[in-house]
Amino acid sequence: MSPQVALEQLCLEPLAVLDVPAEETVDIAAAAGFRRMSLWVNSPTSKFIAPCRVEPDRKAALARRLHDAGMAVQNLEVFRVGPGTDVSRYEAPLGLGAELGAATATAIAMDGSDETAVSLARLTELARGLGIRVNVEFLSYRGPSNLDEVAALVGKAGDAGTGILVDILHLVRSGGTVDQVRSLDPDLIGHVQLCDGPRETPAEGLEHESASNRMLPGAGQFPLREFIAALPQVALGLEIPRMSDAFRGLTPRERAVELMKATAAFFRAV
C-alpha cells in the first residue's frame, strides 16, 4: 500500500478515546481529519465498562451524528471466543454495529484449539449474515500469540470467511516479520492496527504496553514503512491508548488531533 492510499485508510480506534461517549467521538474524529472510526459495542469482560461503549438506546443519536459528520464506521470491538462459547449472545451488539454501517468486527481467541475454531466459525457466520466480516487478532502475551498460530486457527475455522487483524505491536513483540505479512494471502488481512514503539520491551510488560503505553507512528523503532508497503488496501486503525505518554495532559480532542497530525507527517515523510 502506498503512503497516499494509507492516509485515506486511516481509522480512529477506541483506545485513544475510551473516556468519551461515542457520539462526541464522532465530532472529535471528524474535526481531526478522520473519515472512519471504530466502535466499542461489546466489553471484553463484564467488569470492563467504558464511556465510549455504544448502548442500544443511543443508536439513533449516534447514527445522526455519523451522518451529519460524514463519518463511516469501520470496525467493532471486541468479541471473545473459546471452546463452547455461546456466540448467540453477540447477536445484539453485532446487530447494533451493522445498523450503524460497520464493515468488520474483532474477535479474540482464548486458544488455538479445534473447539475454539468451531466457535470462531459460528461467530463469523453470525456476523456474515449481518454484513460484517470477523477478523481474529493475535495478542503477543495470550492465546494464539503470533501470526502463524492465528493463521492456523483461521484455517481450522474452514471456509467461514474469517480474516486476520494484524496489529504491528503484537507482530513485533511476538517476533514476527514483515516478510511473514507479505507471504500471507492478502484476502486474509481484514483489518490492521498501527502504532510505534521501542525495538524491545520486557516480556512482563507486554500487556501493559499494549493497553496503556504505545507510541505515535514515527516516534519509535517499528518497521512501519516496510509493514505498510507490504499490506493490501485495508483499513488502518490507529490504536494508541489514551494513557500513553504521547497523550499525557491532552484532552480527547487534542489526542485525536495529535494522532492524525503525527501519522500524516510520518506518511508524508515515507
Side-chain angles (χ1 to χ4, degrees):
M1 190 188 319
S2 70
Q4 182 55 46
V5 171
L7 272 172
E8 297 168 359
Q9 301 300 315
L10 294 181
C11 170
L12 180 63
E13 301 286 67
L15 271 189
V17 285
L18 287 178
D19 52 336
V20 184
E23 301 97 299
E24 293 180 28
T25 301
V26 173
D27 297 333
I28 288 171
F34 290 94
R35 290 297 171 259
R36 304 181 190 196
M37 62 184 289
S38 296
L39 296 175
W40 201 290
V41 295
N42 188 72
S43 295
T45 71
S46 60
K47 295 181 180 179
F48 186 88
I49 305 295
C52 75
R53 193 179 76 171
V54 181
E55 302 296 345
D57 62 352
R58 301 302 300 162
K59 180 186 69 177
L62 178 54
R64 285 194 298 271
R65 296 285 273 272
L66 288 163
H67 177 270
D68 292 346
M71 287 287 291
V73 176
Q74 179 61 42
N75 190 52
L76 304 175
E77 297 274 357
V78 58
F79 302 87
R80 292 190 180 275
V81 293
T85 297
D86 178 10
V87 301
S88 66
R89 71 190 192 202
Y90 295 143
E91 185 170 5
L94 283 170
L96 173 62
E99 290 185 53
L100 292 168
T104 60
T106 299
I108 301 292
M110 291 175 57
D111 56 42
S113 67
D114 292 348
E115 293 81 4
T116 291
V118 170
S119 296
L120 178 60
R122 288 173 177 162
L123 175 64
T124 300
E125 290 163 359
L126 172 63
R128 184 170 58 187
L130 296 166
I132 294 171
R133 186 189 191 190
V134 168
N135 299 297
V136 189
E137 179 178 11
F138 64 96
L139 306 178
S140 54
Y141 51 84
R142 181 187 303 137
S145 60
N146 59 53
L147 188 54
D148 287 342
E149 289 178 1
V150 82
L153 176 63
V154 168
K156 288 181 182 180
D159 60 358
T162 312
I164 296 174
L165 187 163
V166 184
D167 183 328
I168 191 170
L169 175 80
H170 297 303
L171 179 73
V172 171
R173 295 298 179 235
S174 64
T177 66
V178 171
D179 283 342
Q180 283 181 287
V181 175
R182 193 178 289 112
S183 68
L184 275 180
D185 178 349
D187 290 340
L188 277 178
I189 303 176
H191 194 62
V192 167
Q193 291 176 333
L194 300 179
C195 66
D196 213 335
R199 191 178 306 279
E200 297 180 358
T201 198
E204 62 272 16
L206 292 176
E207 186 168 5
H208 172 76
E209 179 187 41
S210 174
S212 303
N213 199 24
R214 303 186 185 207
M215 296 173 71
L216 295 167
Q221 297 173 301
F222 289 175
L224 277 169
R225 292 177 176 81
E226 297 86 352
F227 178 68
I228 292 164
L231 295 172
Q233 186 168 323
V234 64
L236 302 175
L238 296 177
E239 180 148 279
I240 317 291
R242 67 184 181 88
M243 297 85 78
S244 292
D245 291 343
F247 292 150
R248 186 166 294 169
L250 299 184
T251 66
R253 186 173 297 273
E254 289 168 337
R255 285 177 226 148
V257 169
E258 182 62 21
L259 184 49
M260 175 58 84
K261 178 182 175 182
T263 305
F266 170 77
F267 282 153
R268 289 179 183 129
V270 173

